[in-house]
């Protein structure tokens, strides 16, 4: 039984998905000023999309290595993950437990894991996952 089958059988999220969940929770804490904002994340309210995070600007004339460091930085990753959340999740601002429940429901019912092969020099060639939004009202989609 491979890794993905074991996760499905035990009803667990992968390590990458768990890291992404923690990053989103930490971003919520920064928004609520319950954690220090050392990355200077900025938030704004969008009437249609809810609370959004501002992605820090990048100088696209920089070297590729700088671009990789930028893309992998906490400030950029957390803002991108936060902005994937729908309004009913990112607008839960009362208490942490309510946010975690809302986030858990979203991850369980609205996201699916898609496997893709990676070709990075540090990769073992194993399948990675990436978050993809799935509309559960579409009968052709199989959430979870």
């Amino acid at each position: 039984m491979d890794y993905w089958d074991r996760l499905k059988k035990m009803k667990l999220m992968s390590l990458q998905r768990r890291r992404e969940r923690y990053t989103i929770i930490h971003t919520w804490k920064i928004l609520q000023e319950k954690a220090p904002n050392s990355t200077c994340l900025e938030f704004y309210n969008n009437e249609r999309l809810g609370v959004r995070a501002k992605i820090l600007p990048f100088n696209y004339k920089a070297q590729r290595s700088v671009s990789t460091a930028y893309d992998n930085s906490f400030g950029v990753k957390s803002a991108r993950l936060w902005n994937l959340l729908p309004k009913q999740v990112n607008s839960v601002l009362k208490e942490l437990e309510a946010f975690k429940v809302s986030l858990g429901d979203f991850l369980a019912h609205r996201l699916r894991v898609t496997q893709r092969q990676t070709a990075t020099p540090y990769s073992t060639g194993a399948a990675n996952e990436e978050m993809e939004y799935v509309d559960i009202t579409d009968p052709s989609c199989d959430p979870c």
Side-chain angles (χ1 to χ4, degrees):
M1 187 180 297
D2 72 352
Y3 176 72
W4 301 104
D5 293 333
R6 289 192 309 264
L7 286 175
K8 191 173 185 178
K9 184 176 181 177
M10 293 186 291
K11 297 180 181 176
L12 293 174
M13 293 185 285
S14 70
L15 291 173
Q16 181 176 347
R17 180 58 56 81
R18 283 182 260 174
R19 279 190 295 274
E20 291 170 343
R21 180 180 178 274
Y22 173 77
T23 299
I24 293 169
I25 291 169
H26 190 72
T27 305
W28 181 90
K29 289 178 180 180
I30 290 171
L31 173 65
Q32 297 300 312
E33 298 178 352
K34 296 179 188 273
N37 188 1
S38 58
T39 58
C40 301
L41 279 173
E42 294 179 20
F43 298 92
Y44 63 95
N45 197 6
N46 182 301
E47 189 174 313
R48 186 173 60 88
L49 301 173
V51 178
R52 308 311 274 172
K54 191 176 197 179
I55 298 175
L56 302 171
F58 175 70
N59 178 3
Y60 288 98
K61 295 179 183 178
Q63 300 176 27
R64 182 67 189 150
S65 61
V66 174
S67 173
T68 302
Y70 168 82
D71 288 335
N72 291 329
S73 68
F74 179 80
V76 172
K77 274 191 170 184
S78 63
R80 287 181 178 158
L81 286 170
W82 182 265
N83 291 341
L84 284 174
L85 301 176
K87 184 176 183 176
Q88 61 266 25
V89 176
N90 70 28
S91 296
V92 177
L93 303 176
K94 294 179 183 173
E95 58 183 52
L96 180 58
E97 290 306 315
F99 177 73
K100 285 181 179 179
V101 168
S102 180
L103 179 62
D105 290 344
F106 173 71
L107 292 174
H109 299 295
R110 295 287 195 150
L111 293 178
R112 76 173 167 203
V113 175
T114 58
Q115 296 181 19
R116 64 177 170 85
Q117 294 296 329
T118 60
T120 61
Y122 304 105
S123 172
T124 60
N128 272 342
E129 64 177 335
E130 56 185 24
M131 289 176 47
E132 177 183 343
Y133 182 76
V134 176
D135 184 2
I136 62 171
T137 59
D138 182 2
S140 66
C141 293
D142 179 26
C144 304

